[in-house]
Amino acid sequence: MQNNYSQRLEMQIPKENVYTGTGIVSNFDDEFDKLSKSYTIHEYNDVKGFIRKHENILPFIHELTPLINKYFPNHRKLIEFCKDPEFLDLDFIMIYVECNDYDKDRITLDKFEDEPLYMSKFSKKINGLVCVDLW
């Protein structure tokens, strides 16, 4: 039987991380309300409904929050639900960081996006439901 992958380590595609978070949250409302301490929540009910539907992204947002605060300590942050008009599977949560100096903040955001937690701790399915960008 022939293997369909390269034997050179640098040429291998890493396996998908299947970690989906710490499991179902015991008290969703309390955990969700913690978000309002770090973020302004735009269209509260839409955001809450989407996160309730995809409850495993709540631990991801909670783990991202200290990392975002590390890179953007004095910036205002906002969470918004982004609805795709055609495909439900393309809906996602956007975390916006208020931009003070675009060039400097863009460089900082690029560094943040290279962080291992943001890149690979959670599965791509969860990472794809939460995006971070400047506003």
Side-chain angles (χ1 to χ4, degrees):
M1 180 191 250
Q2 185 178 22
N3 293 327
N4 292 323
Y5 63 89
S6 173
Q7 293 188 8
R8 293 178 52 196
L9 290 176
E10 67 274 6
M11 298 298 292
Q12 291 181 9
I13 298 171
K15 289 184 179 181
E16 161 69 83
N17 184 355
V18 294
Y19 178 66
T20 59
T22 56
I24 302 302
V25 177
S26 60
N27 190 336
F28 177 82
D29 290 327
D30 290 344
E31 289 298 312
F32 183 81
D33 288 340
K34 288 180 185 177
L35 291 179
S36 62
K37 293 177 182 160
S38 300
Y39 303 98
T40 300
I41 301 175
H42 187 259
E43 298 180 4
Y44 185 90
N45 291 331
D46 291 339
V47 171
K48 188 173 186 177
F50 182 77
I51 290 177
R52 183 177 293 280
K53 183 179 173 185
H54 303 279
E55 206 166 324
N56 55 355
I57 67 174
L58 192 55
F60 179 58
I61 294 172
H62 282 310
E63 287 200 38
L64 273 183
T65 299
L67 189 61
I68 293 169
N69 289 335
K70 174 183 154 188
Y71 281 89
F72 301 99
N74 300 316
H75 293 65
R76 216 172 110 217
K77 295 143 194 103
L78 171 102
I79 291 182
E80 181 176 62
F81 171 62
C82 296
K83 183 173 181 64
D84 187 280
E86 295 182 23
F87 302 103
L88 292 175
D89 291 343
L90 298 179
D91 295 346
F92 63 98
I93 293 293
M94 178 62 84
I95 298 175
Y96 288 109
V97 177
E98 186 175 42
C99 186
N100 296 333
D101 175 357
Y102 181 80
D103 292 330
K104 181 181 172 192
D105 290 343
R106 183 87 229 151
I107 292 168
T108 304
L109 183 65
D110 290 343
K111 290 177 186 174
F112 165 79
E113 289 174 343
D114 288 337
E115 279 284 340
L117 171 66
Y118 185 68
M119 293 290 293
S120 62
K121 181 171 182 183
F122 288 80
S123 73
K124 287 182 175 71
K125 184 176 182 179
I126 293 173
N127 283 9
L129 294 175
V130 180
C131 299
V132 179
D133 207 350
L134 299 175
W135 143 66

